[in-house]
Amino acid sequence: MNILVINCGSSSLKYQVINSDTEQCIAKGLCERIGIDGSQITYAPAGGEKEVTVTPMPDHTEAIRLVLDALTNAKTGVVKSLDEIGAVGHRVVHGGEKFAASTIITDEVMKAIEECNDLAPLHNPANIIGINACKKLMPGTPMVAVFDTAFHQTMPEEAYMYGLPYEYYKKYKIRRYGFHGTSHSYVSKRAAEVLGKKYEDLKIVVCHLGNGASISAVKNGKCVDTSMGLTPLEGLIMGTRSGDIDPAIMEFIAHKENKSIDEIMTVLNKQSGVLGLSDNLSSDFRDLEAGHNNGDANATRTLKTFCYRVAKYIGAYVAAMNGVDVICFTAGVGENAALVRSMVCEYLGYLGVTIDSAANGKRGEDIAISTPESKTTVMVIPTNEELAIARETVRLV
Ligand code: AMP
């Protein structure tokens, strides 16, 4: 069966078609600047030429119409008709406490997703628009929602509660939810598979280090803690997000710089992280690595602070699980930045970690980068959220 996987943002839409028998991606692409001047669609069939077409996309329905046209195009399409697409899997960012697993989309499910809009006002409304657009154009095709938060719903109360008045939890469901769940789930399972061990027997720390970054503790096949919170702002230092800070800093900056709460949130989400910490050198770790190698103090300070935070969270999660068997690195930085991995692992001597530098230099494969003697196994597992969404979709339809 072919599964169309949709990841819909407010002005962009990423898509992939995955054949569930071979688990290969047969086409993928991206619609950008939806509802804005200069919108364009990128379409890349597997083994074919990538096409970029600039064309008006006033809304998401038009964007999805263009995607479906590209997929069924007589010359360059990968399916003859839409009948060859058996189901659609939608990434949905926030499932609140309502969704601890993926689900077939029904009218009640749509209502429940809408009820989570308050918790992710930038993301969930866009996800809902994408689902509605698909429903309009593919009315008979089953659709599945796969939530970024679902994998983390197994966290115990002591891991998800904040030290705030309990009434805010009762009134507004303010608690830790965590994100990147599809990736944490995929990577932790894949690590067990690659090692030939039972998932349910392992204590795994997954470091998802991309432009957004989060870390999770997976004990006996269940997430027991994760670093992102009510929103994706908490935890690690990210590309442009601050991660953990003293909340009183917000009031301090507000007074000194005469900024509103909204303006401070923009600073914390868009101007902080490694971008801000490097004095605006870059949010891209390729630039930071190059800077560090050229003796740039901004780059070195940023990499050291980023890696220290990751190492500190690993320590916290080893404590939470009373031990660790496997530490996994994934996502853009985790999969590609050998320097970041080695700087993080320098803190892990107490876990008996020793790194094989030749293995750490490799790229693009599921691989152990620790030596056979290392007491804790350290791995790189490339994440594949689209495949995980396609698998969930097949399982449910
Ligand atoms: P993601 O959000 O998972 O797509 O990760 C994107 C980030 O990965 C980029 O912003 C870069 O910082 C980082 N990245 C991608 N390729 C490399 C590379 N070859 N070396 C170091 N960092 C990389």
Side-chain angles (χ1 to χ4, degrees), residues 208-212 283-286 289 331-334 336-338 363 383:
H208 177 111
L209 312 180
N211 193 36
S283 66
D284 192 311
F285 280 72
R286 285 165 283 207
E289 279 196 19
V333 179
N336 295 300
R363 236 191 232 175
T383 192

Side-chain angles (χ1 to χ4, degrees), residues 4-16:
L4 173 60
V5 175
I6 299 278
N7 180 354
C8 198
S10 55
S11 66
S12 69
L13 184 156
K14 284 192 217 147
Y15 65 93
Q16 266 194 29

Side-chain angles (χ1 to χ4, degrees), residues 19-249:
N19 179 309
S20 64
D21 302 323
T22 59
E23 297 208 322
Q24 295 299 310
C25 166
I26 60 171
K28 66 177 172 182
L30 170 70
C31 300
E32 291 165 281
R33 301 181 64 83
I34 302 169
I36 309 173
D37 279 352
S39 40
Q40 63 173 41
I41 173 169
T42 306
Y43 169 68
E49 290 270 306
K50 181 161 126 181
E51 294 166 15
V52 181
T53 314
V54 177
T55 176
M57 277 178 226
D59 56 29
H60 287 75
T61 308
E62 186 54 27
I64 289 178
R65 193 193 309 280
L66 288 163
V67 170
L68 299 179
D69 282 353
L71 294 173
T72 52
N73 182 285
K75 267 198 202 143
T76 52
V78 289
V79 291
K80 285 201 191 76
S81 77
L82 291 183
D83 297 344
E84 291 180 27
I85 292 178
V88 184
H90 291 272
R91 174 189 181 214
V92 179
V93 167
H94 219 307
E97 286 187 332
K98 293 193 172 80
F99 297 103
S102 312
T103 179
I104 296 258
I105 298 174
T106 61
D107 290 347
E108 285 95 78
V109 166
M110 287 300 280
K111 234 194 253 155
I113 297 174
E114 260 168 53
E115 281 164 17
C116 299
N117 279 3
D118 257 5
L119 296 170
L122 296 179
H123 294 99
N124 269 33
N127 300 152
I128 290 168
I129 290 170
I131 296 171
N132 282 330
C134 266
K135 278 167 72 177
K136 213 162 156 188
L137 297 170
M138 308 170 80
T141 309
M143 315 239 168
V144 168
V146 180
F147 300 91
D148 259 28
T149 48
F151 180 63
H152 304 303
Q153 277 295 303
T154 48
M155 280 186 288
E157 194 176 40
E158 60 271 27
Y160 71 69
M161 286 308 297
Y162 291 116
L164 289 170
Y166 194 61
E167 70 172 289
Y168 296 144
Y169 173 67
K170 287 191 287 186
K171 273 205 247 174
Y172 310 119
K173 294 281 176 227
I174 291 181
R175 49 159 283 180
R176 173 182 312 288
Y177 289 95
F179 299 87
H180 294 140
T182 313
S183 176
H184 287 286
S185 163
Y186 173 87
V187 168
S188 53
K189 279 186 197 130
R190 182 77 191 129
E193 209 174 276
V194 172
L195 293 172
K197 297 205 166 141
K198 258 183 88 183
Y199 188 44
E200 292 73 20
D201 290 343
L202 292 173
K203 294 172 181 170
I204 306 173
V205 171
V206 179
C207 308
H208 177 111
L209 312 180
N211 193 36
S214 68
I215 180 161
S216 68
V218 183
K219 187 180 182 184
N220 308 332
K222 291 207 163 80
C223 176
V224 294
D225 206 345
T226 192
S227 59
M228 283 178 167
L230 173 76
T231 76
L233 187 54
E234 192 182 348
L236 301 177
I237 297 169
M238 311 184 205
T240 61
R241 293 187 197 122
S242 63
D244 299 338
I245 59 163
D246 176 349
I249 292 171

